[in-house]
């Protein structure tokens, strides 16, 4: 395929425009989303419709035109807001659906809440999708299947959105092709099938069935569709990648590549003075090739290992007597930023966050038989404390790249909280938790100018579209945590597979020979400890 054929053309944009007008904006009398209230399916004819530019929720999407369609039903005391964004130059549209109880009593039970439940006239189609990040050499492997009457169902694994599959799909049809993207940092589900050469697609939060309290609102996963027409499916991949680069990634991560130097790993016992003594011996030419220092887990107080100190987000003064800011200031003098690791959603017993959370109702979620405890972001008061505390921590530590890890399966915690805190309303904790996770990350970037968010999550297990709007993965697979005989071939394979969808990712830079170094070429690289380099 030529570069010219790869480019978005008028035909692609026309495909997108026609679908947006006909279905997304309802000119055909249909909408792509649906839900039920007490078993009765949503029928837009029973609702009043208004267009507004100032909703209660909303984001500014670079390169897109955003509108809000508000459906109201006085009898049911519900308001449905559809945030729609069209990216004219990228033949792409996206939307999110919000449902709010405007009454003074509990709403009816909302179920079968699909962000997308629609058929597309693609003609006979092939499906391309990728495996997720499962700490394997085969991570991100691209797979091709024919669509058929038998629905292919994809979902997250235990609430980790990209461990089993990436939530991106290339439907390459005879009539036209389309890329489906899903933004939901929880338990999403997608179904794809084909009947009479039409491709049927459904997308939703996998399990949701709940009434809403007065004033309460919930949301659907975010859905994007990029349209293209070409005999070669590579055009679709290229269109999607360009849209991600142009409109999705935060602008401060697309303007540069990043190379970071590890100065303290999870097992580091060096003091700040010992680290600085080593750093003083590194030639300035190395610093000119480096963008930031990297301090991973373990900079706080812990007992047996870094893992049992999560929840103590204060510096271990026995090693860093002047605080982390001594090292971040050193980095700044060298013209470098500073990466610092946190895992604030997971709480270990006996830590500061455990003590604080234990004194407040519904701030902590515990599961029988599990050492890990979840900080309940679904609780608004817990969210407020969390935001303010962690923002202050990042500022005190001079963080320019916030590394957020996530090392446990959240689904059973959300399900436990549904039963214990939320009257058995299925999926309500997950819905509020995921929504507030985005609020937290946006709060950090709103209050720290130029902050970059490194999305780790056990190595690439949270790479959905909503997180891509806010972050990048400096560490895309935990397969690179230790050496394997096939490590360099696996790293090449990981780069190949994930780059069909997300062009900016990173991993370790192993430098023992030229083959190893070339195998690790990618936009984001972690240099070996203390800048070990090969002269070439």
């Amino acid at each position: 395929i030529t570069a010219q054929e790869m480019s978005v053309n008028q035909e692609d944009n026309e495909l997108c425009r026609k679908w947006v007008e006909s279905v997304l904006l309802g000119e055909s009398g249909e909408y792509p989303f649906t839900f039920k209230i007490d078993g009765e399916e949503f029928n837009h004819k029973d609702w009043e419709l208004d267009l507004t530019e100032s909703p209660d929720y909303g984001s500014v999407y670079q390169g897109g035109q955003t509108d809000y369609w508000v459906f109201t039903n006085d009898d049911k005391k519900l308001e449905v807001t559809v945030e729609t964004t069209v990216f004219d130059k990228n033949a792409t549209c996206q939307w999110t659906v919000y449902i709010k109880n405007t009454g003074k009593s509990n709403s009816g039970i909302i179920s079968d809440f699909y962000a997308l439940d629609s058929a597309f006239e693609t003609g006979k189609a092939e499906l391309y999708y990728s495996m997720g990040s499962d700490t394997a050499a085969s991570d991100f492997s691209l797979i091709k299947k024919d669509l058929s009457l038998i629905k292919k169902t994809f979902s997250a694994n235990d609430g980790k959105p990209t461990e089993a599959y990436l939530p991106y799909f290339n439907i390459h049809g005879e009539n036209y092709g389309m890329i489906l993207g899903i933004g939901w940092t929880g338990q999403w589900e997608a179904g794809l099938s084909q009947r009479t050469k039409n491709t049927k697609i459904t997308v939703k939060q996998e399990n949701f069935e709940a009434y809403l309290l007065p004033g309460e609102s919930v949301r659907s996963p975010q859905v994007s569709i990029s349209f293209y027409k070409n005999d070669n499916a590579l055009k679709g991949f290229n269109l999607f990648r360009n849209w991600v680069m142009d409109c999705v990634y935060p602008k401060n991560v697309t303007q540069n590549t990043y190379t970071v130097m590890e100065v303290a790993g999870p097992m580091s016992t060096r003091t700040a003075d010992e680290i600085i003594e080593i750093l003083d011996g590194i030639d300035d030419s190395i610093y000119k090739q480096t963008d930031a220092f990297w301090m991973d887990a373990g900079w706080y107080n812990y007992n047996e290992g870094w893992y049992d100190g999560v929840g103590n987000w204060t510096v271990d003064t026995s090693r860093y007597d002047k605080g982390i800011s001594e090292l971040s200031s050193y980095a700044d003098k060298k013209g470098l930023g500073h990466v610092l690791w946190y895992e604030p959603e997971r709480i270990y017993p006996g830590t500061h966050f455990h003590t604080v959370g234990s004194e407040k109702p519904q701030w902590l979620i515990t599961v029988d038989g599990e050492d890990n405890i979840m900080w309940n972001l679904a609780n608004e008061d817990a969210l407020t404390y969390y935001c303010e505390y962690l923002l202050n921590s990042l500022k005190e530590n001079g963080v320019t790249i916030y590394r957020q890890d996530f090392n446990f399966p959240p689904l059973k915690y959300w399900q436990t909280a549904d039963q214990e805190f939320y009257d058995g309303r299925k999926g309500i904790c997950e819905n509020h938790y995921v929504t507030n996770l985005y609020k937290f990350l946006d709060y950090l970037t709103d209050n720290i100018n130029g902050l970059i968010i490194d999305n780790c999550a056990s190595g690439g297990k949270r790479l959905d579209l909503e997180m891509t709007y806010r972050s990048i993965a400096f560490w895309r697979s935990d397969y690179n945590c230790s050496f394997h005989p096939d490590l360099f071939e696996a790293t090449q394979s990981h780069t190949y597979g994930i780059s069909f969808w997300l062009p900016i990712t990173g991993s370790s830079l192993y430098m023992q020979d030229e083959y190893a170094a070339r195998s690790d070429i990618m936009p984001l690289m972690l240099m070996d400890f203390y800048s070990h380099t090969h002269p070439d």
Side-chain angles (χ1 to χ4, degrees), residues 250-253 255 258 332 336-338 391-392 394-396 398-402 441-453 470:
K251 274 302 176 192
N252 58 347
V253 306
Q255 295 165 352
Y258 288 88
D332 184 60
L336 277 62
H338 195 252
L391 175 65
N392 288 333
L394 265 63
K395 286 184 173 181
E396 288 175 5
V399 176
T400 61
I401 300 175
Y402 165 60
L441 296 175
D442 294 342
Y443 177 82
L444 294 183
T445 53
D446 286 345
N447 286 280
I448 300 179
N449 187 39
L451 182 71
I452 293 171
I453 297 174
R470 295 166 170 84

Side-chain angles (χ1 to χ4, degrees), residues 12 15 20 54 100 103 105 119 152 155 178 182 195 201 220 272 275 330 354 358 385 390 393 418 420:
D12 304 325
L15 276 168
V20 167
S54 55
K100 182 178 182 179
S105 59
K152 290 179 170 58
S155 66
M178 49 189 286
I182 300 171
R195 185 185 299 271
I201 306 176
S220 74
I275 292 172
Y330 186 102
H354 179 246
S358 298
Y385 179 88
L390 289 163
S393 177
D418 285 343
E420 295 183 358

Side-chain angles (χ1 to χ4, degrees), residues 57 78 99-103 106-107 210-218 422 425 428 432:
Y57 0 70
L78 289 175
I99 305 177
K100 182 178 182 179
N101 180 1
T102 58
N106 294 342
S107 74
Y211 63 81
L212 302 184
L213 301 172
E216 186 177 23
S217 64
V218 292
Y422 302 109
R425 295 188 289 156
I428 200 77
H432 291 324

Side-chain angles (χ1 to χ4, degrees), residues 135-203:
T135 317
S138 58
D139 286 353
F140 312 119
S141 295
L142 185 69
I143 296 173
K144 173 184 172 183
K145 302 271 188 180
D146 288 332
L147 284 173
S148 68
L149 287 171
I150 301 173
K151 183 169 73 171
K152 290 179 170 58
T153 302
F154 303 86
S155 66
N157 184 29
D158 293 330
K160 295 172 286 187
T162 55
E163 180 177 81
Y165 304 101
L166 295 183
Y168 310 108
F169 303 89
N170 187 346
I171 300 102
H172 182 230
E174 290 176 329
N175 298 334
Y176 62 83
M178 49 189 286
I179 306 282
L180 169 69
I182 300 171
W184 188 249
T185 317
Q187 192 67 19
W188 59 271
E189 178 189 287
L192 297 98
S193 61
Q194 190 155 69
R195 185 185 299 271
T196 62
K197 296 189 176 182
N198 284 349
T199 299
K200 175 70 180 295
I201 306 176
T202 58
V203 175

